[in-house]
Amino acid sequence: MSYDGLETDTNRYREAGQNGMATAELPVMGFPDDDAQIDDFMGPNQDYNEEEEERKYFRRKRLAVVKNVICASLGIMLTYGVYLGLLQMQLILHYDETYREVKYGNMGLEDIDKKMLMGINVTPIVALLYTPVLIRFLGTKWMMFLAIGIYSLFVSTNYWERYYTLVPSAVAIGAAIVPLWASVGNYITRMAQKYYEYVNYKDQNVQQQKRPPRGSCHKYIIIFQSMFYFFFNLSFVFAELPMVFFLDSYLYKYNHTLHNVKHCGTDARGMIEGLNKTVLMKLPQSISLIVVESVLMGVAFIAMLMILILCGPAYRPTEEIDLRSIGWGNIFQLPFKHMRDYRLRHLFPFFIYSGFEVLFACTGFALVSELCCCHLKYFILTG
């Protein structure tokens, strides 16, 4: 279109406006409904339900908390299943006299086993001093991850069984037991507190991030701790899998192992006297031991990944306590300051009882009841 034609059209529109022609009859450039569409887009969504979306959001948060508890429980279960299964298999192999002489000569594996058990059982006493420091500095989740990594280190040292590999790794496990269980207990308790907050998200004390009423979280703490110990007790079942699928085929029957046992029951002290020093019919091949230990190492690595990837943090970044604001002197006093709570002081008899219960269960039930009542009597009646 030429410039003259455009000027002619402009003059025609000007004349039409002066003559009173309706504006609707004039050609309109663009889309007449643009403003209405923009208003519809920017206006409130009639289908959006804020209360329903908030309810779905906190429901996802509660499911995430349950997922954290289950994954942490499975991770600890796999770790202790690997640790107890490997320790049981290791002690049986080291007890066999032929295995010690053929595989390791005069290295003194029995003495190494005693020092390993000593390191595992004595070192936790010192852990009361540094456990609060590690948890405050590393955080609850990372302390769990580090402790499970130390258990995996113990599994890896069995590839090369020497004094300078087995004993230090056992001492490291003893040093990590208390921080592991302290962080696990703190993690489960914190998950219960979070679950309470997500269930009662409309309460005023939750919205203002105030301390919940006393006893309000106890129900969820009991439920989550029960879930944790349900999975953890399965570790004793998984600990028997290396025996069932691998070592059991190499062991003599009870009529050989118990041939010289004359006394048991309440007369037994420590190791039952008369057990045969040779319990293996044939020595397992080194490649078979490597395969079993590799499987156990893989399971321990899976437990580490579960804690690292699937478990969420216990605290928000704003809730983490700065280590410098506490002071080193107060940190070392934390375990003793907790004793001000009368409820913790009342738990002392339970801790002592639980420790002796494990000892009596191992010696009294496993050795006396199972060995004497079942296998030895069966051997005497049939032999």
Side-chain angles (χ1 to χ4, degrees):
M1 180 184 293
S2 64
Y3 177 77
D4 297 336
L6 181 59
E7 185 178 1
T8 303
D9 293 338
T10 304
N11 294 332
R12 187 185 303 117
Y13 294 150
R14 187 181 297 112
E15 293 176 359
Q18 293 174 356
N19 295 331
M21 185 179 293
T23 308
E25 298 178 1
L26 300 177
V28 179
M29 304 297 293
F31 300 95
D33 297 334
D34 281 351
D35 294 338
Q37 292 178 359
I38 292 175
D39 292 339
D40 293 340
F41 179 77
M42 298 299 292
N45 187 5
Q46 300 298 328
D47 298 332
Y48 179 76
N49 190 339
E50 183 178 358
E51 184 176 354
E52 181 68 16
E53 293 298 325
E54 189 179 32
R55 188 186 64 82
K56 291 181 180 179
Y57 171 78
F58 283 102
R59 180 175 177 270
R60 291 193 297 267
K61 287 289 187 180
R62 293 195 296 270
L63 291 177
V65 168
V66 175
K67 181 261 299 180
N68 291 338
V69 174
I70 293 177
C71 291
S73 304
L74 290 176
I76 302 299
M77 180 201 72
L78 294 176
T79 301
Y80 263 82
V82 169
Y83 162 67
L84 294 176
L86 179 62
L87 189 63
Q88 180 185 18
M89 186 177 67
Q90 184 186 65
L91 293 177
I92 292 176
L93 290 175
H94 292 178
Y95 176 79
D96 186 81
E97 191 174 24
T98 306
Y99 181 86
R100 294 198 308 267
E101 292 179 356
V102 172
K103 193 171 181 67
Y104 293 102
N106 298 322
M107 198 173 72
L109 287 178
E110 285 185 335
D111 184 60
I112 292 178
D113 290 339
K114 292 178 181 178
K115 292 182 178 179
M116 282 176 51
L117 297 176
M118 184 69 69
I120 294 174
N121 296 320
V122 175
T123 312
I125 299 176
V126 189
L128 292 174
L129 297 176
Y130 57 80
T131 296
V133 180
L134 291 178
I135 294 180
R136 296 297 188 191
F137 184 74
L138 297 175
T140 303
K141 173 186 172 180
W142 289 103
M143 187 65 249
M144 293 169 54
F145 176 75
L146 177 62
I148 293 178
I150 293 176
Y151 277 83
S152 302
L153 176 66
F154 174 78
V155 178
S156 65
T157 55
N158 285 266
Y159 287 110
W160 186 253
E161 293 182 310
R162 293 294 185 270
Y163 181 88
Y164 53 84
T165 58
L166 295 178
V167 176
S169 63
V171 173
I173 283 184
I177 285 178
V178 175
L180 173 63
W181 283 98
S183 58
V184 169
N186 188 19
Y187 190 82
I188 301 298
T189 303
R190 180 55 188 160
M191 290 299 109
Q193 294 174 351
K194 280 189 172 184
Y195 196 88
Y196 166 79
E197 294 175 359
Y198 296 148
V199 170
N200 305 277
Y201 62 91
K202 293 184 178 180
D203 291 352
Q204 185 176 2
N205 59 342
V206 175
Q207 293 179 354
Q208 295 178 358
Q209 296 184 358
K210 294 182 178 180
R211 178 177 296 181
R214 178 175 295 182
S216 58
C217 302
H218 289 179
K219 178 176 67 174
Y220 305 110
I221 292 176
I222 294 173
I223 293 174
F224 286 174
Q225 291 286 350
S226 301
M227 291 173 56
F228 168 76
Y229 280 103
F230 170 78
F231 287 105
F232 173 75
N233 288 327
L234 293 178
S235 62
F236 298 102
V237 178
F238 283 92
E240 297 299 322
L241 295 182
M243 291 289 300
V244 173
F245 292 104
F246 173 68
L247 197 59
D248 190 57
S249 60
Y250 293 94
L251 295 175
Y252 277 111
K253 301 302 180 183
Y254 291 112
N255 57 0
H256 173 84
T257 307
L258 306 177
H259 180 73
N260 293 322
V261 176
K262 304 300 181 183
H263 301 283
C264 66
T266 57
D267 296 333
R269 295 291 184 275
M271 182 65 69
I272 294 179
E273 296 182 1
L275 285 176
N276 203 315
K277 291 293 183 181
T278 303
V279 296
L280 296 175
M281 291 185 296
K282 56 181 180 179
L283 299 182
Q285 297 179 354
S286 298
I287 187 65
S288 300
L289 291 173
I290 292 175
V291 170
V292 174
E293 291 165 0
S294 300
V295 172
L296 296 177
M297 188 66 194
V299 175
F301 187 69
I302 291 175
M304 293 178 62
L305 291 180
M306 290 184 65
I307 299 297
L308 179 64
I309 299 175
L310 299 180
C311 291
Y315 294 93
R316 292 186 290 266
T318 55
E319 295 174 334
E320 293 289 348
I321 300 176
D322 187 8
L323 186 64
R324 294 171 296 179
S325 64
I326 302 177
W328 290 98
N330 292 330
I331 286 177
F332 287 108
Q333 295 176 12
L334 283 178
F336 306 101
K337 287 183 177 180
H338 289 321
M339 291 299 102
R340 297 175 181 175
D341 193 338
Y342 71 95
R343 292 170 295 184
L344 291 179
R345 293 197 298 268
H346 287 171
L347 287 177
F348 269 131
F350 171 74
F351 294 150
I352 298 174
Y353 168 76
S354 63
F356 281 104
E357 181 188 24
V358 175
L359 179 63
F360 293 149
C362 293
T363 58
F365 178 75
L367 294 179
V368 177
S369 301
E370 183 180 358
L371 179 62
C372 299
C373 297
C374 300
H375 304 302
L376 188 57
K377 286 186 178 180
Y378 176 78
F379 168 65
I380 292 174
L381 292 175
T382 59

